[in-house]
Amino acid sequence: MNGETARVLETIKKQYYYQSEYLQAAEEILDSLDAAISSNPALTDWKIIERFVRPDRVISFRVCWVDDKGEVQVNNGYRVQFNNAIGPYKGGLRFHASVNESILKFLGLEQVLKNSLTGLPMGGGKGGSDFDPHGKSDGEVMRFCQAFMTELHRYIGDDIDVPAGDIGVGGREIGYLYGQYKRLTHRSDGVLTGKGIPFGGSLGRTPATGYGLCYFAEAAMKKLRNTTFAGKTVVVSGSGNVAHYAAEKAIQLGGKVVAMSDSSGYVFDPNGIDLEAVYQIKQVRRARIKEYLADHPKATYCDGPSGIWSLPCDVALPCATQNELDENDAKKLIANGVLGVFEGANMPCTLAAQRLLIEKGILYSPGKASNAGGVAVSGLEMSQNSMRLSWSFEEVDSRLKTIMESIFENCLATAVKYGKQENLLFGANVYGFEKVSSAMLSLGVI
Ligand code: NDP
Ligand code: 2IT
């Protein structure tokens, strides 16, 4: 890194020294951008890098609600509207105890590039709360969602900012959030995506991120290693929305998924994971993955999720959360002969893990490229809502596959153009940035 990128990174490191996740995402992106900006001095003259790494605004608010015992609870709520140069702010809401401004700024910054990669006109944003859904009743989740939307609705709109799901926010939460939005505004529009099918949701949105990840991975394996998922041993971390549908598609494509995890630990099943059992435990009963052992005597369980990376596998799909795979984990995967690491989560590999995987010639794709299928189908849901139409599952799934394959091709072509061979991280950062920066230049100093 040199010149403008290094200067901007130093500046934000001083200003936001306490926001480690935001700085990590910024460093990873800026590290790729020297070549892109050196060919266009206007980007430096117009301070595009300086503007690009900072969100347009961070909205933060209090969320008060009453729990089942009648006690008042207070949480922090946020919406980071990062960049709308190429379209309305778009990105998920995360409900997790760890949520803070740093995490939402990293997610928002990544979302700006990811949404650009989809080829659809969407800017980037992210929001959420430190509300922890674990162990909460349906009624408590509903009252929290209503309180959250009571404040959030002032800042969003179908042409302004369109939230969706992320960790802790799935179909149930989107339903409650949308219900409160309707109650407050008297509007029925496409202000949220990931809605239920009876009230404007798109067929294919629920599995889109996981399916899209496998479409991307399959395209990369075919083109760069002349192989496919067929016969491969696959390890998937997490057991939420992204992990479930990634595992399902990997199995459909002929892979064998042998392990999955939650935040407490991981299960290994040499016979191949029984995905329906995991679904019942994690999505229906909202219980711990350890319960898998009850009906699967050949399976084993280990406390602590990160041990999952010590299992031998051909393909690793980290689909849980940020920084879940560090340099030591990457070393173990490499020692065990991994062929590819394709990210389903956002920033699951640490900077050191990414660098090592790339240096050792492992196929590696960053989340902003390989998990873009979720937001891409959100973009299709927005189009269907605007047109008052709905497409079949097959129509949506085939558009998703085309989008993921072209994201792969564009990232690869960009990497090759700059002499970076198979470096899909470089390709994703530069290709995503080119469109956003060109729009920012055209829009003037705003
Ligand atoms: P969910 O809330 O559906 O699932 C999260 C899963 O990850 C849960 O099984 C959770 O377990 C598990 N988990 C949390 N922390 C860890 C950990 N340290 N190690 C292992 N497992 C852990 O979220 P999603 O599946 O929607 O999101 C997963 C990732 O994918 C996130 O990074 C998200 O930002 C990203 N993503 C999501 C998209 C979407 O469309 N939903 C789109 C693109 C990216 P537990 O039950 O114990 O909490
Ligand atoms: O990280 C992501 O891309 C998401 N959580 C999905 C965002 C969206 O608007 O569908």
Side-chain angles (χ1 to χ4, degrees):
M1 215 182 294
N2 53 50
E4 183 68 351
T5 49
R7 187 188 67 75
V8 171
L9 185 61
E10 269 322 294
T11 309
I12 60 171
K13 272 187 172 171
K14 279 198 192 113
Q15 274 177 338
Y16 300 106
Y17 58 89
Y18 51 95
Q19 296 189 345
S20 59
E21 295 86 0
Y22 165 58
L23 294 174
Q24 180 184 337
E27 180 169 351
E28 181 242 271
I29 293 166
L30 291 176
D31 203 27
S32 303
L33 296 187
D34 277 337
I37 61 167
S38 63
S39 57
N40 187 354
L43 293 171
T44 304
D45 296 346
W46 290 77
K47 295 255 177 13
I48 294 295
I49 295 283
E50 180 116 31
R51 288 151 61 192
F52 170 77
V53 295
R54 293 166 195 273
D56 288 354
R57 63 193 67 78
V58 177
I59 300 157
S60 110
F61 47 91
R62 190 181 65 218
V63 187
C64 304
W65 56 284
V66 180
D67 71 16
D68 286 348
K69 296 189 209 104
E71 216 174 287
V72 174
Q73 298 288 339
V74 183
N75 287 103
N76 300 314
Y78 307 87
R79 185 72 182 164
V80 176
Q81 295 182 329
F82 216 104
N83 187 309
N84 68 353
I86 65 168
Y89 303 106
K90 178 84 196 89
L93 297 172
R94 176 177 291 193
F95 293 168
H96 191 271
S98 63
V99 163
N100 58 30
E101 207 175 297
S102 170
I103 290 183
L104 295 177
K105 278 170 69 180
F106 116 64
L107 288 163
L109 179 55
E110 288 282 281
Q111 199 82 45
V112 174
L113 292 179
K114 184 194 305 192
N115 294 3
S116 168
L117 291 174
T118 66
L120 301 173
M122 299 182 290
K126 204 84 190 189
S129 171
D130 57 4
F131 173 77
D132 179 3
H134 291 109
K136 301 289 191 302
S137 70
D138 260 6
E140 289 177 323
V141 170
M142 180 183 75
R143 290 195 294 284
F144 174 79
C145 288
Q146 291 174 339
F148 184 84
M149 183 54 86
T150 300
E151 186 64 26
L152 184 72
H153 86 280
R154 304 170 205 280
Y155 311 109
I156 59 177
D158 58 355
D159 281 322
I160 301 170
D161 182 353
V162 183
D166 192 81
I167 293 180
V169 178
R172 173 182 63 168
E173 290 74 18
I174 293 291
Y176 295 148
L177 289 163
Y178 193 50
Q180 183 72 352
Y181 174 83
K182 278 171 173 280
R183 173 154 81 172
L184 291 166
T185 63
H186 296 242
R187 288 180 63 88
S188 189
D189 57 33
V191 72
L192 295 173
T193 60
K195 299 183 291 297
I197 305 304
F199 52 95
S202 172
L203 287 162
R205 173 61 186 91
T206 306
T209 312
Y211 280 16
L213 170 64
C214 290
Y215 294 145
F216 186 104
E218 184 90 338
M221 286 192 281
K222 255 188 205 157
K223 175 118 179 188
L224 298 173
R225 296 290 181 275
N226 195 25
T227 187
T228 64
F229 267 105
K232 301 282 184 301
T233 300
V234 183
V235 162
V236 182
S237 67
S239 44
N241 168 273
V242 179
H244 177 81
Y245 290 100
E248 184 171 281
K249 184 54 75 178
I251 294 166
Q252 282 172 19
L253 292 171
K256 181 176 179 188
V257 176
V258 294
M260 293 181 78
S261 58
D262 65 14
S263 58
S264 308
Y266 69 92
V267 287
F268 168 67
D269 190 337
N271 292 336
I273 289 281
D274 171 357
L275 207 47
E276 180 52 30
V278 174
Y279 187 83
Q280 287 299 322
I281 296 166
K282 295 302 300 180
Q283 311 299 315
V284 179
R285 304 211 302 277
R286 298 180 194 272
R288 309 312 302 158
I289 202 165
K290 190 177 186 177
E291 292 183 15
Y292 185 86
L293 295 191
D295 299 325
H296 299 85
K298 293 244 164 65
T300 50
Y301 171 81
C302 288
D303 271 328
S306 68
I308 200 168
W309 307 123
S310 59
L311 298 170
C313 63
D314 303 307
V315 177
L317 303 177
C319 296
T321 194
Q322 66 274 359
N323 293 328
E324 55 163 313
L325 197 164
D326 67 15
E327 190 179 12
N328 275 331
D329 299 324
K331 280 184 186 155
K332 288 179 205 153
L333 285 167
I334 295 166
N336 284 328
V338 76
L339 165 86
V341 178
F342 304 99
E343 295 184 346
N346 285 307
M347 208 169 76
C349 291
T350 62
L351 284 174
Q354 285 180 326
R355 284 177 189 144
L356 186 69
L357 292 166
I358 293 169
E359 185 192 307
K360 297 291 178 195
I362 308 300
L363 275 183
Y364 165 74
S365 67
K368 75 195 88 181
S370 45
N371 75 26
V375 74
V377 173
S378 279
L380 301 182
E381 182 170 328
M382 289 165 71
S383 302
Q384 292 172 84
N385 291 161
S386 301
M387 292 189 296
R388 306 284 189 260
L389 284 178
S390 75
W391 297 326
S392 67
F393 172 81
E394 289 71 23
E395 166 89 34
V396 173
D397 192 51
S398 108
R399 285 176 187 257
L400 167 67
K401 189 159 185 278
T402 307
I403 290 172
M404 296 313 297
E405 287 168 357
S406 52
I407 294 175
F408 164 70
E409 292 293 345
N410 289 328
C411 292
L412 181 65
T414 305
V416 170
K417 179 173 137 193
Y418 285 90
K420 300 280 183 182
Q421 292 94 7
E422 295 178 357
N423 189 334
L424 298 174
L425 173 65
F426 177 93
N429 284 333
V430 172
Y431 188 74
F433 178 74
E434 279 174 354
K435 185 158 81 173
V436 177
S437 57
S438 149
M440 287 175 76
L441 276 177
S442 305
L443 294 170
V445 180
I446 52 172

CSV table of all heavy atoms in Angstrom, one decimal, residues 94 96 107 114 126 134 165-169 205-206 209 237-243 261-265 282-283 287-288 305-306 319-322 324 344-348 371-372 374-375, ligand 1:
chain,number,residue,atom,x,y,z
A,94,ARG,N,-28.7,-7.1,11.6
A,94,ARG,CA,-28.1,-8.2,12.4
A,94,ARG,C,-28.6,-8.0,13.9
A,94,ARG,O,-28.4,-6.9,14.4
A,94,ARG,CB,-26.6,-8.2,12.3
A,94,ARG,CG,-26.0,-9.2,13.2
A,94,ARG,CD,-24.5,-9.2,13.1
A,94,ARG,NE,-24.1,-9.8,11.8
A,94,ARG,CZ,-22.8,-10.1,11.5
A,94,ARG,NH1,-21.8,-10.0,12.4
A,94,ARG,NH2,-22.5,-10.6,10.3
A,96,HIS,N,-27.6,-9.4,17.3
A,96,HIS,CA,-26.7,-10.3,18.0
A,96,HIS,C,-26.1,-9.5,19.1
A,96,HIS,O,-25.8,-8.3,18.9
A,96,HIS,CB,-25.6,-10.8,17.0
A,96,HIS,CG,-24.7,-11.9,17.5
A,96,HIS,ND1,-23.6,-11.7,18.3
A,96,HIS,CD2,-24.8,-13.3,17.5
A,96,HIS,CE1,-23.0,-12.8,18.6
A,96,HIS,NE2,-23.8,-13.8,18.1
A,107,LEU,N,-19.5,-4.2,8.0
A,107,LEU,CA,-20.5,-4.9,7.1
A,107,LEU,C,-21.0,-4.0,6.1
A,107,LEU,O,-21.2,-4.3,4.9
A,107,LEU,CB,-21.6,-5.4,8.0
A,107,LEU,CG,-21.3,-6.7,8.9
A,107,LEU,CD1,-22.3,-6.9,10.0
A,107,LEU,CD2,-21.1,-7.9,8.0
A,114,LYS,N,-20.0,-5.4,-2.5
A,114,LYS,CA,-20.7,-6.6,-2.8
A,114,LYS,C,-21.9,-6.3,-3.8
A,114,LYS,O,-22.1,-6.9,-4.8
A,114,LYS,CB,-21.3,-7.2,-1.5
A,114,LYS,CG,-22.0,-8.5,-1.7
A,114,LYS,CD,-22.8,-9.0,-0.5
A,114,LYS,CE,-21.9,-9.0,0.7
A,114,LYS,NZ,-22.7,-9.7,1.9
A,126,LYS,N,-26.1,-1.2,6.3
A,126,LYS,CA,-26.2,-2.4,7.3
A,126,LYS,C,-26.8,-1.8,8.6
A,126,LYS,O,-26.6,-0.6,8.9
A,126,LYS,CB,-24.8,-3.0,7.6
A,126,LYS,CG,-24.9,-4.4,8.0
A,126,LYS,CD,-25.0,-5.4,6.9
A,126,LYS,CE,-25.3,-6.8,7.3
A,126,LYS,NZ,-25.2,-7.7,6.2
A,134,HIS,N,-31.3,-15.3,21.4
A,134,HIS,CA,-31.2,-16.6,22.0
A,134,HIS,C,-32.1,-16.7,23.2
A,134,HIS,O,-32.0,-15.8,24.1
A,134,HIS,CB,-29.8,-17.0,22.4
A,134,HIS,CG,-28.9,-17.2,21.2
A,134,HIS,ND1,-27.9,-16.3,20.9
A,134,HIS,CD2,-28.8,-18.2,20.3
A,134,HIS,CE1,-27.3,-16.8,19.8
A,134,HIS,NE2,-27.8,-17.9,19.5
A,165,GLY,N,-32.5,-9.4,6.0
A,165,GLY,CA,-32.0,-10.2,7.2
A,165,GLY,C,-30.5,-10.3,7.2
A,165,GLY,O,-29.8,-10.0,6.3
A,166,ASP,N,-30.0,-10.8,8.3
A,166,ASP,CA,-28.6,-11.2,8.5
A,166,ASP,C,-28.6,-12.1,9.8
A,166,ASP,O,-29.7,-12.7,10.1
A,166,ASP,CB,-27.7,-10.0,8.7
A,166,ASP,CG,-26.2,-10.3,8.6
A,166,ASP,OD1,-25.7,-10.4,7.5
A,166,ASP,OD2,-25.5,-10.4,9.6
A,167,ILE,N,-27.5,-12.2,10.5
A,167,ILE,CA,-27.5,-13.0,11.7
A,167,ILE,C,-28.6,-12.6,12.7
A,167,ILE,O,-28.8,-11.4,13.0
A,167,ILE,CB,-26.1,-12.9,12.4
A,167,ILE,CG1,-25.0,-13.6,11.6
A,167,ILE,CG2,-26.2,-13.6,13.8
A,167,ILE,CD1,-23.6,-13.5,12.2
A,168,GLY,N,-29.4,-13.6,13.1
A,168,GLY,CA,-30.5,-13.3,14.1
A,168,GLY,C,-31.7,-12.7,13.5
A,168,GLY,O,-32.7,-12.4,14.2
A,169,VAL,N,-31.7,-12.5,12.2
A,169,VAL,CA,-32.9,-11.9,11.5
A,169,VAL,C,-33.2,-12.7,10.3
A,169,VAL,O,-32.5,-12.7,9.3
A,169,VAL,CB,-32.7,-10.4,11.1
A,169,VAL,CG1,-33.9,-9.9,10.4
A,169,VAL,CG2,-32.3,-9.5,12.3
A,205,ARG,N,-35.5,-16.5,-2.3
A,205,ARG,CA,-34.6,-15.6,-1.5
A,205,ARG,C,-34.0,-16.3,-0.3
A,205,ARG,O,-32.8,-16.1,0.1
A,205,ARG,CB,-35.4,-14.3,-1.0
A,205,ARG,CG,-34.6,-13.5,0.0
A,205,ARG,CD,-33.3,-12.9,-0.6
A,205,ARG,NE,-32.4,-12.2,0.3
A,205,ARG,CZ,-31.5,-12.7,1.0
A,205,ARG,NH1,-31.2,-14.0,1.0
A,205,ARG,NH2,-30.7,-12.0,1.8
A,206,THR,N,-34.8,-17.2,0.4
A,206,THR,CA,-34.3,-17.9,1.6
A,206,THR,C,-33.0,-18.7,1.3
A,206,THR,O,-32.0,-18.6,2.0
A,206,THR,CB,-35.4,-18.8,2.2
A,206,THR,OG1,-36.6,-17.9,2.4
A,206,THR,CG2,-35.0,-19.4,3.5
A,209,THR,N,-28.4,-17.2,-0.6
A,209,THR,CA,-27.0,-16.9,-0.3
A,209,THR,C,-26.2,-18.2,-0.3
A,209,THR,O,-25.1,-18.3,-0.9
A,209,THR,CB,-26.9,-16.3,1.1
A,209,THR,OG1,-27.8,-15.2,1.2
A,209,THR,CG2,-25.4,-15.8,1.4
A,237,SER,N,-19.1,-24.3,8.2
A,237,SER,CA,-19.3,-23.8,9.6
A,237,SER,C,-20.6,-23.0,9.7
A,237,SER,O,-21.1,-22.5,8.7
A,237,SER,CB,-18.1,-22.9,10.0
A,237,SER,OG,-18.1,-21.7,9.2
A,238,GLY,N,-21.2,-23.0,10.9
A,238,GLY,CA,-22.5,-22.4,11.2
A,238,GLY,C,-23.5,-23.4,10.9
A,238,GLY,O,-23.3,-24.5,10.4
A,239,SER,N,-24.8,-23.1,11.2
A,239,SER,CA,-25.9,-23.9,10.9
A,239,SER,C,-27.2,-23.1,10.8
A,239,SER,O,-28.3,-23.5,11.2
A,239,SER,CB,-26.1,-25.0,12.0
A,239,SER,OG,-25.9,-24.4,13.3
A,240,GLY,N,-27.0,-21.8,10.4
A,240,GLY,CA,-28.1,-20.9,10.2
A,240,GLY,C,-28.5,-20.9,8.7
A,240,GLY,O,-28.3,-21.9,8.0
A,241,ASN,N,-29.1,-19.8,8.3
A,241,ASN,CA,-29.6,-19.7,6.9
A,241,ASN,C,-28.6,-20.0,5.9
A,241,ASN,O,-28.8,-20.9,5.0
A,241,ASN,CB,-30.2,-18.3,6.7
A,241,ASN,CG,-30.6,-18.0,5.3
A,241,ASN,OD1,-29.7,-17.6,4.5
A,241,ASN,ND2,-31.8,-18.4,4.9
A,242,VAL,N,-27.4,-19.3,5.9
A,242,VAL,CA,-26.4,-19.5,4.9
A,242,VAL,C,-25.8,-20.9,4.9
A,242,VAL,O,-25.7,-21.5,3.8
A,242,VAL,CB,-25.3,-18.4,5.0
A,242,VAL,CG1,-24.3,-18.6,3.9
A,242,VAL,CG2,-25.9,-17.0,5.0
A,243,ALA,N,-25.5,-21.4,6.1
A,243,ALA,CA,-24.8,-22.7,6.2
A,243,ALA,C,-25.8,-23.8,5.7
A,243,ALA,O,-25.4,-24.7,5.0
A,243,ALA,CB,-24.5,-22.9,7.7
A,261,SER,N,-21.5,-26.5,12.5
A,261,SER,CA,-21.2,-26.0,13.8
A,261,SER,C,-22.3,-25.0,14.3
A,261,SER,O,-23.1,-24.5,13.5
A,261,SER,CB,-19.9,-25.3,13.9
A,261,SER,OG,-19.8,-24.3,12.9
A,262,ASP,N,-22.3,-24.7,15.5
A,262,ASP,CA,-22.9,-23.4,16.0
A,262,ASP,C,-21.9,-22.7,16.9
A,262,ASP,O,-20.7,-23.1,17.0
A,262,ASP,CB,-24.3,-23.7,16.6
A,262,ASP,CG,-24.3,-24.5,17.9
A,262,ASP,OD1,-23.2,-24.7,18.5
A,262,ASP,OD2,-25.4,-25.0,18.3
A,263,SER,N,-22.4,-21.7,17.7
A,263,SER,CA,-21.4,-20.9,18.4
A,263,SER,C,-20.8,-21.7,19.6
A,263,SER,O,-19.8,-21.3,20.2
A,263,SER,CB,-22.0,-19.6,18.9
A,263,SER,OG,-23.1,-19.8,19.6
A,264,SER,N,-21.4,-22.9,19.9
A,264,SER,CA,-20.9,-23.7,21.0
A,264,SER,C,-19.9,-24.7,20.6
A,264,SER,O,-19.0,-25.1,21.4
A,264,SER,CB,-22.1,-24.4,21.7
A,264,SER,OG,-23.1,-23.5,22.1
A,265,GLY,N,-20.1,-25.3,19.4
A,265,GLY,CA,-19.2,-26.4,19.0
A,265,GLY,C,-19.6,-26.9,17.7
A,265,GLY,O,-20.4,-26.4,17.0
A,282,LYS,N,-31.8,-26.6,14.7
A,282,LYS,CA,-31.4,-25.2,14.7
A,282,LYS,C,-32.5,-24.2,14.2
A,282,LYS,O,-32.6,-23.1,14.8
A,282,LYS,CB,-30.1,-25.0,13.8
A,282,LYS,CG,-28.9,-25.7,14.3
A,282,LYS,CD,-28.5,-25.3,15.7
A,282,LYS,CE,-28.1,-23.8,15.9
A,282,LYS,NZ,-27.7,-23.5,17.2
A,283,GLN,N,-33.2,-24.5,13.2
A,283,GLN,CA,-34.2,-23.5,12.6
A,283,GLN,C,-35.5,-23.7,13.3
A,283,GLN,O,-36.2,-22.7,13.5
A,283,GLN,CB,-34.3,-23.7,11.1
A,283,GLN,CG,-33.0,-23.7,10.3
A,283,GLN,CD,-32.2,-22.4,10.5
A,283,GLN,OE1,-32.7,-21.3,10.5
A,283,GLN,NE2,-30.9,-22.6,10.8
A,287,ALA,N,-32.4,-24.8,19.0
A,287,ALA,CA,-31.7,-25.5,20.1
A,287,ALA,C,-30.2,-25.5,19.8
A,287,ALA,O,-29.7,-24.8,18.9
A,287,ALA,CB,-32.3,-26.9,20.3
A,288,ARG,N,-29.4,-26.3,20.5
A,288,ARG,CA,-28.0,-26.4,20.3
A,288,ARG,C,-27.7,-27.6,19.3
A,288,ARG,O,-28.3,-28.7,19.4
A,288,ARG,CB,-27.2,-26.6,21.6
A,288,ARG,CG,-27.6,-25.7,22.7
A,288,ARG,CD,-27.6,-24.2,22.3
A,288,ARG,NE,-26.3,-23.8,21.7
A,288,ARG,CZ,-26.2,-22.7,20.9
A,288,ARG,NH1,-27.3,-22.0,20.5
A,288,ARG,NH2,-25.0,-22.4,20.4
A,305,PRO,N,-16.3,-23.9,18.4
A,305,PRO,CA,-16.5,-24.0,17.0
A,305,PRO,C,-15.3,-24.1,16.1
A,305,PRO,O,-15.3,-24.7,15.0
A,305,PRO,CB,-17.3,-22.8,16.6
A,305,PRO,CG,-17.1,-21.8,17.7
A,305,PRO,CD,-16.8,-22.6,18.9
A,306,SER,N,-14.2,-23.5,16.5
A,306,SER,CA,-13.0,-23.4,15.6
A,306,SER,C,-12.3,-24.7,15.3
A,306,SER,O,-11.6,-24.8,14.3
A,306,SER,CB,-12.0,-22.3,16.1
A,306,SER,OG,-11.4,-22.8,17.2
A,319,CYS,N,-19.4,-20.2,7.0
A,319,CYS,CA,-20.7,-19.6,6.8
A,319,CYS,C,-21.3,-19.1,8.2
A,319,CYS,O,-22.5,-19.1,8.3
A,319,CYS,CB,-21.7,-20.6,6.2
A,319,CYS,SG,-21.3,-21.1,4.5
A,320,ALA,N,-20.4,-18.8,9.2
A,320,ALA,CA,-21.0,-18.4,10.5
A,320,ALA,C,-20.8,-17.0,10.7
A,320,ALA,O,-21.8,-16.2,10.7
A,320,ALA,CB,-20.3,-19.3,11.6
A,321,THR,N,-19.6,-16.5,10.9
A,321,THR,CA,-19.4,-15.1,11.3
A,321,THR,C,-18.0,-14.6,11.1
A,321,THR,O,-17.1,-15.3,10.6
A,321,THR,CB,-19.8,-15.0,12.9
A,321,THR,OG1,-19.9,-13.6,13.2
A,321,THR,CG2,-18.7,-15.6,13.7
A,322,GLN,N,-17.8,-13.3,11.4
A,322,GLN,CA,-16.5,-12.7,11.1
A,322,GLN,C,-15.3,-13.3,11.9
A,322,GLN,O,-15.5,-13.6,13.1
A,322,GLN,CB,-16.5,-11.2,11.2
A,322,GLN,CG,-16.7,-10.6,12.6
A,322,GLN,CD,-18.2,-10.5,13.0
A,322,GLN,OE1,-19.0,-10.8,12.2
A,322,GLN,NE2,-18.5,-10.1,14.2
A,324,GLU,N,-13.8,-16.1,12.1
A,324,GLU,CA,-14.0,-17.4,12.6
A,324,GLU,C,-12.9,-18.4,12.2
A,324,GLU,O,-12.8,-19.5,12.6
A,324,GLU,CB,-15.4,-18.0,12.3
A,324,GLU,CG,-15.6,-18.0,10.8
A,324,GLU,CD,-16.8,-18.9,10.3
A,324,GLU,OE1,-16.8,-20.1,10.8
A,324,GLU,OE2,-17.6,-18.4,9.5
A,344,GLY,N,-18.9,-17.9,2.8
A,344,GLY,CA,-20.4,-17.6,2.8
A,344,GLY,C,-20.7,-16.5,3.8
A,344,GLY,O,-21.6,-15.7,3.6
A,345,ALA,N,-19.9,-16.5,4.9
A,345,ALA,CA,-20.1,-15.4,5.9
A,345,ALA,C,-19.4,-14.2,5.4
A,345,ALA,O,-18.7,-14.2,4.4
A,345,ALA,CB,-19.6,-15.8,7.2
A,346,ASN,N,-19.6,-13.1,6.1
A,346,ASN,CA,-18.9,-11.8,5.8
A,346,ASN,C,-17.6,-11.8,6.6
A,346,ASN,O,-17.6,-11.9,7.8
A,346,ASN,CB,-19.8,-10.6,6.1
A,346,ASN,CG,-20.9,-10.4,5.1
A,346,ASN,OD1,-20.6,-10.3,3.9
A,346,ASN,ND2,-22.1,-10.3,5.6
A,347,MET,N,-16.5,-11.7,5.9
A,347,MET,CA,-15.1,-11.6,6.5
A,347,MET,C,-14.8,-12.7,7.5
A,347,MET,O,-14.3,-12.4,8.6
A,347,MET,CB,-15.0,-10.2,7.2
A,347,MET,CG,-13.6,-9.7,7.3
A,347,MET,SD,-13.5,-7.9,7.8
A,347,MET,CE,-13.9,-8.0,9.5
A,348,PRO,N,-15.2,-14.0,7.2
A,348,PRO,CA,-14.9,-15.0,8.2
A,348,PRO,C,-13.4,-15.3,8.4
A,348,PRO,O,-13.0,-15.8,9.4
A,348,PRO,CB,-15.6,-16.2,7.6
A,348,PRO,CG,-15.7,-16.0,6.1
A,348,PRO,CD,-15.9,-14.5,6.0
A,371,ASN,N,-20.7,-14.6,-1.4
A,371,ASN,CA,-22.0,-14.6,-0.7
A,371,ASN,C,-23.0,-13.6,-1.2
A,371,ASN,O,-24.1,-13.3,-0.6
A,371,ASN,CB,-21.9,-14.5,0.8
A,371,ASN,CG,-21.5,-13.1,1.3
A,371,ASN,OD1,-21.8,-12.1,0.7
A,371,ASN,ND2,-20.9,-13.1,2.5
A,372,ALA,N,-22.7,-13.0,-2.4
A,372,ALA,CA,-23.5,-11.9,-3.0
A,372,ALA,C,-24.9,-12.4,-3.5
A,372,ALA,O,-25.7,-11.6,-3.8
A,372,ALA,CB,-22.7,-11.2,-4.1
A,374,GLY,N,-27.4,-13.6,-1.9
A,374,GLY,CA,-28.5,-13.2,-1.0
A,374,GLY,C,-29.0,-11.8,-1.4
A,374,GLY,O,-30.2,-11.6,-1.7
A,375,VAL,N,-28.0,-10.9,-1.5
A,375,VAL,CA,-28.5,-9.5,-1.8
A,375,VAL,C,-28.9,-9.4,-3.3
A,375,VAL,O,-29.7,-8.6,-3.6
A,375,VAL,CB,-27.4,-8.5,-1.4
A,375,VAL,CG1,-26.2,-8.5,-2.3
A,375,VAL,CG2,-28.0,-7.1,-1.3
B,1,NDP,P1,-28.1,-17.1,11.1
B,1,NDP,O1,-28.5,-16.3,12.3
B,1,NDP,O2,-29.1,-17.7,10.3
B,1,NDP,O3,-27.0,-18.2,11.5
B,1,NDP,C1,-25.8,-17.9,12.2
B,1,NDP,C2,-25.2,-19.2,12.5
B,1,NDP,O4,-23.8,-19.1,12.8
B,1,NDP,C3,-25.9,-19.9,13.7
B,1,NDP,O5,-25.9,-21.3,13.5
B,1,NDP,C4,-24.9,-19.5,14.9
B,1,NDP,O6,-25.0,-20.4,16.0
B,1,NDP,C5,-23.6,-19.7,14.1
B,1,NDP,N1,-22.5,-19.0,14.8
B,1,NDP,C6,-22.4,-17.8,15.3
B,1,NDP,N2,-21.2,-17.5,15.7
B,1,NDP,C7,-20.5,-18.7,15.4
B,1,NDP,C8,-19.1,-19.1,15.6
B,1,NDP,N3,-18.2,-18.2,16.2
B,1,NDP,N4,-18.7,-20.3,15.2
B,1,NDP,C9,-19.6,-21.1,14.6
B,1,NDP,N5,-20.9,-20.8,14.4
B,1,NDP,C10,-21.3,-19.6,14.8
B,1,NDP,O7,-27.2,-16.1,10.2
B,1,NDP,P2,-26.9,-16.2,8.6
B,1,NDP,O8,-26.8,-17.6,8.2
B,1,NDP,O9,-27.9,-15.4,7.9
B,1,NDP,O10,-25.5,-15.5,8.5
B,1,NDP,C11,-24.3,-16.2,8.6
B,1,NDP,C12,-23.2,-15.3,8.0
B,1,NDP,O11,-23.5,-15.1,6.6
B,1,NDP,C13,-23.0,-13.9,8.6
B,1,NDP,O12,-21.6,-13.6,8.4
B,1,NDP,C14,-23.8,-13.0,7.6
B,1,NDP,O13,-23.4,-11.7,7.7
B,1,NDP,C15,-23.6,-13.7,6.3
B,1,NDP,N6,-24.5,-13.4,5.2
B,1,NDP,C16,-25.8,-13.6,5.4
B,1,NDP,C17,-26.7,-13.4,4.3
B,1,NDP,C18,-28.1,-13.8,4.4
B,1,NDP,O14,-28.8,-13.7,3.3
B,1,NDP,N7,-28.7,-14.2,5.5
B,1,NDP,C19,-26.2,-12.9,3.0
B,1,NDP,C20,-24.8,-12.8,3.0
B,1,NDP,C21,-24.0,-13.0,4.0
B,1,NDP,P3,-25.9,-20.1,17.3
B,1,NDP,O15,-27.2,-20.7,17.0
B,1,NDP,O16,-25.1,-20.7,18.4
B,1,NDP,O17,-25.9,-18.6,17.5
